[in-house]
Amino acid sequence: MYDYREAMTEDIKQWITDEVDLADWTEDRGGLEQQLNDDLWTADSVTGNSSGSYTFNRVQASLYVLDNMDLLQKAIDEFAINPTTVGDKFISEEWEWFDVTIRCYLLGSVISDVLDEMEENGDFDESEE
């Protein structure tokens, strides 16, 4: 079974390693969290939202989504997506759209979890020295 949270956690950690100087955010976790949300919302390497695909593979995306129909339902509810839109996307087999929708739905909570873990590991500490 595909684990979106686990995959996104690794993608977000990699993004932070490659793109973020944590020293700039030592006393501003909230600011960092907001910046990550803004940046990663359209990062194909995390959500796929910029291009409309994370996997660039309809079959792979379908496997991820079908393993996680509960998350898809939560994302559809959270974003108040019209049932007609969902039906049209389903009939058109737009699995990558569903996959991106799930990733965008989870983004904020996974970023928060990653930053919590980094604080626990001492990789990111927002307290003054």
Side-chain angles (χ1 to χ4, degrees):
M1 181 168 182
Y2 184 73
D3 187 332
Y4 274 97
R5 287 187 167 281
E6 182 179 309
M8 290 181 68
T9 294
E10 294 309 311
D11 292 341
I12 291 168
K13 286 179 180 178
Q14 189 62 54
W15 174 275
I16 290 171
T17 298
D18 294 346
E19 303 293 334
V20 176
D21 182 356
L22 291 176
D24 294 342
W25 300 96
T26 302
E27 296 179 32
D28 188 12
R29 176 188 164 145
L32 174 59
E33 200 160 340
Q34 182 60 51
Q35 188 64 51
L36 288 170
N37 268 292
D38 292 347
D39 292 344
L40 300 180
W41 185 262
T42 56
D44 282 338
S45 64
V46 178
T47 62
N49 199 24
S50 180
S51 68
S53 182
Y54 172 85
T55 62
F56 295 96
N57 182 313
R58 183 184 296 197
V59 173
Q60 191 65 54
S62 73
L63 296 173
Y64 293 169
V65 172
L66 290 171
D67 276 351
N68 291 278
M69 294 301 287
D70 57 327
L71 281 177
L72 178 59
Q73 184 63 61
K74 289 176 184 177
I76 288 167
D77 292 345
E78 179 69 22
F79 294 139
I81 300 170
N82 185 303
T84 301
T85 300
V86 174
D88 291 345
K89 300 284 187 190
F90 180 78
I91 295 300
S92 299
E93 297 183 13
E94 294 186 40
W95 297 106
E96 291 163 303
W97 183 86
F98 291 119
D99 179 58
V100 168
T101 300
I102 292 170
R103 290 174 194 284
C104 289
Y105 165 70
L106 291 174
L107 181 63
S109 66
V110 177
I111 289 171
S112 182
D113 292 346
V114 167
L115 293 179
D116 288 348
E117 180 182 324
M118 291 175 72
E119 283 180 344
E120 289 173 16
N121 293 338
D123 299 328
F124 172 75
D125 185 4
E126 70 173 336
S127 64
E128 294 185 57
E129 306 259 325

